[in-house]
Amino acid sequence: MRHPIRRGGFRWRLTIAFILVAGVSAGVVAIGAFLMIRAERENTFLERTLRESRLSLSLAEETIAQPQEPGDVRRFVSRFKRQEDFEAVVITDDDSFSSTTAIGPSHVPSELTPATGPAELPTTDIDIEGKPHLVVGSTLANSDSEFYFFFSKRHLSEESSKLQTILLRDWIAVVVLSGLLGSTLARRTLRPVSRASRAAQALAEGLLDTRLRVDTDDEFGVWATSFNEMADALQEMIDALSASHEREKRFTSDVSHELRTPLTALMTSASMAKQHLDEMGPGGRWYAEQMIRQATRLRYLVEELMEISRLDAGRESITREPVDVGELVDSVISSRGWKGHVSLHADEVAVSTDARRLERIIANLVANAIDHAKENARVHAGKDDAHVFIEVADDGPGIPSEHLPHVFDRFYKVDPARSGGTGLGLSIAAENAKLLGGTIDVTSDPGNGTRFVLRLPVTGPLPDGDHGVASTRHSSQVDTTRSQPRQ
Amino acid sequence: MVVMRGRDTTSSTGPRHRTCSGPHPCRLPDLVNRCLPAGRHAPANLCDVDERLLLVEDDTDIRDIVAHALEQSGFQVTSEVDGRQALIRFRQNPFDVVVLDIMLPSLDGLEVCRKIRSESEVPIVMLTAKTDTIDVVLGLEAGADDYVTKPFEMPELFARIRAVLRRVIESPMGPAFSIRGLQIDPSAFRVLKEGRPISLTPTEFRLLLELARRSGQVLTRDILLEQVWNYEYSGDSRLVDMAIKRLRQKVEDDPSNPQLIQTVRGIGYTLQRG
């Protein structure tokens, strides 16, 4: 299972931190630079305006004769018409002159008191129709006329906003770059972590030879080494376990095969002895009967061991064919002489599966139910959306919940005092169910019985017309006393 | 009386006469009795000629016990340990039935079975060590008529031997008839395909007869197991499948594309009337 990286993850946080650090520091630098440059510019501008104003005042002193002639003043003012961003307004006692129509005496700020000489010139900032201007005011020494010079700050504010734009653009670039850099760096830094995560996943999925590359000797290198050591240990352990499991399986298989030959000799003799029981004396007969019974028990045990070892070997094949489930359950029950012990309710269900294995599962579940039932075992075969199910229930003592997870374990007996059965039946049923792609679930209500449910996947539509199968149910004379040892 | 036996052509004795009395001498009753333990019925009351049985089994204990039990039941048993020896013995003497273990030294049971089958229609019952594996299928494919898995009880083996012998000895009743180019004569155990005789084992013959007599009907494996193999419940349906396969090899023009004996998927087999 892959775990997606969520927001708020380490990489995310690292990227955000990078952006914050770069953004804040670049922002501080940019704002500082901006303020400094703007102050410097304004200073320069101010000096220039004062210089220009003084120059103009001294010019006025020279060109405007006393007493004033309006013509002189008009000439003086008109010189400014050629100057861009530099206008003059002269207010005499009875008149006023302006170098431009846009600016007149009304624009002179009232708070500005004109200086009496060019030494200390007062300045004021004003807005004329939204455009910032610096106004310098002064009078001449020998006249009452007031001279005001208007300097447009257009250039200054244009420069300042241009500077602002450049700095903002650069700042954004720095933030984006730092974000990318942060993300890349984070990814690179965290690469060993994601590699390790993938490796751990692979290990979990069973690829036990997965190892991490150790290409640095930093913390991650050490970590990778430890990870690999852990994987080595894990692999060794699992190898050892599976080897011992293999040995165990082989042992089971060998033992059951080796047992088979003497057991066959024993069974054949025992079955012949059974035929001669009548000829034995009462003392000998009892022992012979015991021996026959135990030989039979041993036979079932060995057969089931063999079956388990075949299932373990995983070489069992399945032969699918359409199977009428109700029919099969019915034949399992009648052929084993269980009619009186089982109540059967079967819906019309067909499934494509291996009939022999299904029969084995049903027989084992029903045998188990009969073994534990107080009165009757109940079997219900039916079908829901995706499964064919066979439910086998008994009304016996039930299974305490702590035993429930183990009922399919080999040789597991809930009540060790009970001697019936080999302890392999349910485990064989479960293995066969697995082979057919099905499951067996068990639920139990202590005191009221246990319920096993076998579910098989419905493997697609089956050809209808199982009428021929039904005709097998004629089953001539039901001879349930006949031994059915083949199963 | 018709008795099919191995190597009839070379048999020096030929069909043997039995001294039983009754309308059907040496048919079912004595065979059933002979499969009961000896001592419960005096052999003298039944037959004085025993069925000749070849037992091939490598394990000494099993061989001794099984041979003893079979002899007690009135079979005339010849035991062999080794596959090659068994084949030589089979070629020297006629036998009515062969009981053959699969795992044998020198020549394995499957090979012995195949060789015997290529020379004779004698009934063969296999003793197999494995129930669910390919062994059973291979044995049936090699021509065995039935099998018993180890460990087995003697009545089980008796029942299987009795059933295969019954197929040989009990001749089916009824007049000869023809179906789809096959002329079947039940009482003579004979089948002609377009005039030429076909050599069938008793099992194959009974199987064909069962299908032919109820042609047009679908016969389930269970019915065939009951009618031909005398299983009442839960016989191995592979017995039927493999015998059908062998039968098709002999009666179909193209066994890989059978026209005569059709499989009805999930149900059984049918011989179409044509």
Side-chain angles (χ1 to χ4, degrees), chain A residues 214-425:
Chain A
V214 184
D215 38 23
T216 55
D217 48 7
D218 57 8
E219 291 87 340
F220 283 121
V222 175
W223 182 40
T225 313
S226 320
F227 182 94
N228 289 346
E229 282 166 6
M230 179 202 74
D232 285 341
L234 193 68
Q235 186 173 20
E236 262 172 47
M237 212 151 77
I238 288 175
D239 284 351
L241 271 176
S242 62
S244 97
H245 190 52
E246 271 313 307
R247 269 199 305 279
E248 193 185 309
K249 284 201 242 174
R250 217 174 22 247
F251 181 74
T252 310
S253 166
D254 290 350
V255 164
S256 48
H257 271 101
E258 288 305 315
L259 281 176
R260 180 165 272 225
T261 302
L263 183 64
T264 302
L266 182 63
M267 277 313 300
T268 44
S269 318
S271 62
M272 287 314 290
K274 203 171 171 182
Q275 314 273 4
H276 293 274
L277 281 177
D278 291 341
E279 298 153 31
M280 296 179 191
R285 182 183 172 131
W286 188 84
Y287 289 109
E289 279 170 347
Q290 288 303 316
M291 236 163 66
I292 292 162
R293 189 170 314 133
Q294 297 311 315
T296 309
R297 203 172 143 191
L298 187 61
R299 171 192 181 168
Y300 289 133
L301 179 60
V302 170
E303 279 181 344
E304 297 200 332
L305 270 178
M306 302 230 6
E307 183 164 2
I308 280 278
S309 68
R310 279 200 309 273
L311 288 162
D312 278 345
R315 286 195 298 268
E316 291 292 87
S317 60
I318 55 174
T319 323
R320 285 189 190 281
E321 58 180 327
V323 176
D324 181 328
V325 176
E327 174 72 34
L328 185 70
V329 177
D330 190 55
S331 97
V332 167
I333 292 170
S334 13
S335 68
R336 287 167 178 75
W338 291 340
K339 278 267 188 213
H341 306 284
V342 184
S343 65
L344 168 66
H345 170 71
D347 304 335
E348 196 148 314
V349 192
V351 66
S352 170
T353 192
D354 188 313
R356 295 158 58 82
R357 295 198 183 282
L358 183 56
E359 180 176 348
R360 189 85 174 106
I361 301 169
I362 296 168
N364 286 8
L365 291 180
V366 176
N368 179 70
I370 291 175
D371 200 23
H372 292 89
K374 208 157 36 189
E375 296 192 347
N376 248 343
R378 296 182 309 279
V379 181
H380 176 202
K383 189 177 170 182
D384 56 27
D385 295 340
H387 296 98
V388 165
F389 65 85
I390 298 169
E391 190 183 298
V392 181
D394 64 61
D395 54 359
I399 302 170
S401 58
E402 70 266 25
H403 292 292
L404 217 48
H406 302 293
V407 291
F408 296 111
D409 292 357
R410 291 167 194 187
F411 298 115
Y412 194 86
K413 285 185 180 172
V414 174
D415 179 4
R418 288 180 74 97
S419 63
T422 59
L424 287 169

Side-chain angles (χ1 to χ4, degrees), chain B residues 170-195:
Chain B
E170 231 190 343
S171 47
M173 295 299 159
F177 64 102
S178 283
I179 184 165
R180 299 194 66 188
L182 296 176
Q183 285 150 275
I184 303 172
D185 183 354
S187 53
F189 273 113
R190 195 170 57 207
V191 179
L192 301 177
K193 183 179 160 72
E194 282 138 17

Side-chain angles (χ1 to χ4, degrees), chain A residues 260-261 271 356 472 486, chain B residues 129 150 154 220 231 236 238:
Chain A
R260 180 165 272 225
T261 302
S271 62
R356 295 158 58 82
T472 56
R486 191 172 299 273
Chain B
K150 290 180 181 176
M154 280 314 290
T220 64
Y231 278 96
D236 185 348
R238 289 175 300 187

Side-chain angles (χ1 to χ4, degrees), chain B residues 3-269:
Chain B
V3 176
M4 290 185 83
R5 58 178 83 255
R7 298 179 62 80
D8 268 344
T9 48
T10 58
S11 167
S12 52
T13 52
R16 290 166 298 164
H17 295 283
R18 295 160 196 249
T19 55
C20 305
S21 56
H24 298 291
C26 289
R27 293 254 167 88
L28 200 54
D30 72 300
L31 270 166
V32 172
N33 285 334
R34 119 183 8 227
C35 294
L36 291 168
R40 303 176 89 174
H41 301 274
N45 295 343
L46 297 161
C47 295
D48 63 351
V49 178
D50 300 332
E51 301 291 334
R52 290 160 302 180
L53 184 145
L54 177 61
L55 171 68
V56 194
E57 161 65 60
D58 63 329
D59 184 82
T60 318
D61 292 337
I62 297 177
R63 193 177 60 243
D64 289 351
I65 295 165
V66 172
H68 180 71
L70 288 168
E71 270 163 9
Q72 272 202 311
S73 307
F75 286 96
Q76 187 187 315
V77 180
T78 306
S79 301
E80 280 299 340
V81 181
D82 160 311
R84 209 175 295 285
Q85 274 302 316
L87 207 55
I88 293 168
R89 182 60 60 96
F90 179 78
R91 286 170 179 159
Q92 285 166 349
N93 304 306
F95 288 99
D96 300 308
V97 60
V98 177
V99 176
L100 186 61
D101 189 23
I102 288 279
M103 310 263 225
L104 291 175
S106 84
L107 190 63
D108 88 43
L110 291 176
E111 201 48 47
V112 175
C113 183
R114 220 168 277 134
K115 287 213 153 70
I116 291 178
R117 189 49 83 229
S118 70
E119 302 167 12
S120 160
E121 272 77 54
V122 66
I124 301 173
V125 176
M126 274 187 334
L127 303 178
T128 156
K130 298 160 192 166
T131 42
D132 229 353
T133 48
I134 195 83
D135 263 29
V136 169
V137 172
L138 287 177
L140 295 174
E141 220 165 26
D145 294 90
D146 209 336
Y147 71 93
V148 173
T149 54
K150 290 180 181 176
F152 53 88
E153 295 179 20
M154 280 314 290
E156 197 183 342
L157 180 61
F158 286 142
R160 294 299 104 216
I161 294 173
R162 182 179 57 190
V164 294
L165 278 172
R166 187 186 287 166
R167 271 169 252 163
V168 184
I169 293 163
E170 231 190 343
S171 47
M173 295 299 159
F177 64 102
S178 283
I179 184 165
R180 299 194 66 188
L182 296 176
Q183 285 150 275
I184 303 172
D185 183 354
S187 53
F189 273 113
R190 195 170 57 207
V191 179
L192 301 177
K193 183 179 160 72
E194 282 138 17
R196 287 192 314 278
I198 296 176
S199 144
L200 296 180
T201 67
T203 306
E204 290 156 4
F205 184 84
R206 299 268 174 179
L207 184 58
L208 178 64
L209 188 62
E210 202 61 39
L211 287 162
R213 278 185 169 163
R214 296 161 78 173
S215 65
Q217 289 180 38
V218 180
L219 300 184
T220 64
R221 293 178 176 83
D222 284 345
I223 286 181
L224 291 169
L225 277 171
E226 193 183 314
Q227 299 294 322
V228 180
W229 278 266
N230 291 89
Y231 278 96
E232 277 168 9
Y233 277 112
S234 53
D236 185 348
S237 61
R238 289 175 300 187
L239 283 168
V240 182
D241 297 334
M242 299 314 295
I244 289 277
K245 193 172 164 187
R246 296 197 316 258
L247 183 57
R248 279 173 174 161
Q249 299 284 342
K250 295 181 179 176
V251 300
E252 295 279 355
D253 294 325
D254 176 10
S256 61
N257 180 24
Q259 296 301 313
L260 206 57
I261 301 167
Q262 307 257 343
T263 307
V264 182
R265 216 177 101 74
I267 302 173
Y269 297 96

